[in-house]
Amino acid sequence: MQNHIRNTNLRFNLDKDQQRKAWEYLQTMDRQNFKSYSQVISLALVDYFDRYYRTQADPYLETREREELFVKQIVEAVEHSLKQSLPIFLSGLTTGMLERESPIRVPFPAPEKEQPDRDIDWDFLGE
């Protein structure tokens, strides 16, 4: 059976800010979500290098992601504003519609039926 496990040692120089911060993250990580240092480090490395290689292949990736985040924030802000103001707008609209309706309804007069004229001058027919 082949050995599928590789060992490596990590050293953190706590005098260097980034390495100290990495060590502190490892010490305070949520053990419910992350079972081991190996899991956390492998997740972090894969995420970092996936992003690194994507930005190498597409230099505008980060700019597009920022633009998409900005647009998303605008859309969420507009949705939030609509959720707050739409009920007030609709109640005002409904009130305006009710005020337009007259409480007294006057029926329109029915059109008069044309009565045939009984005094027809038959002379124009040529008799």
Side-chain angles (χ1 to χ4, degrees):
M1 182 175 203
Q2 294 180 352
N3 186 3
H4 293 282
I5 297 176
R6 301 288 184 256
N7 289 321
T8 188
N9 291 323
L10 292 173
R11 292 182 308 131
F12 294 97
N13 183 345
L14 300 182
D15 291 334
K16 296 183 178 182
D17 289 337
Q18 189 171 10
Q19 291 186 27
R20 186 184 76 258
K21 191 173 183 180
W23 175 250
E24 289 170 356
Y25 279 143
L26 287 174
Q27 299 308 303
T28 60
M29 69 183 183
D30 182 3
R31 295 289 180 160
Q32 297 294 325
N33 291 324
F34 307 107
K35 305 297 182 196
S36 67
Y37 290 161
S38 296
Q39 181 192 18
V40 170
I41 291 171
S42 64
L43 285 170
L45 283 171
V46 168
D47 184 56
Y48 176 83
F49 281 107
D50 281 351
R51 182 167 191 75
Y52 174 79
Y53 290 125
R54 277 187 297 163
T55 55
Q56 293 299 309
D58 183 1
Y60 298 107
L61 174 68
E62 189 171 308
T63 304
R64 272 198 318 278
E65 287 177 342
R66 285 184 184 162
E67 288 174 355
E68 289 170 3
L69 179 62
F70 182 63
V71 169
K72 181 180 177 187
Q73 290 172 341
I74 291 172
V75 168
E76 288 173 354
V78 169
E79 287 175 347
H80 180 72
S81 295
L82 281 175
K83 285 178 185 177
Q84 289 181 337
S85 62
L86 192 60
I88 296 168
F89 172 74
L90 290 176
S91 65
L93 184 64
T94 305
T95 303
M97 289 172 59
L98 291 176
E99 288 175 358
R100 277 190 186 172
E101 271 189 35
S102 174
I104 303 170
R105 294 186 183 251
V106 179
F108 286 107
E112 295 180 17
K113 293 182 181 176
E114 291 186 25
Q115 297 293 329
D117 193 5
R118 298 197 190 275
D119 299 327
I120 298 177
D121 184 13
W122 294 100
D123 291 337
F124 77 91
L125 292 175
E127 287 185 21

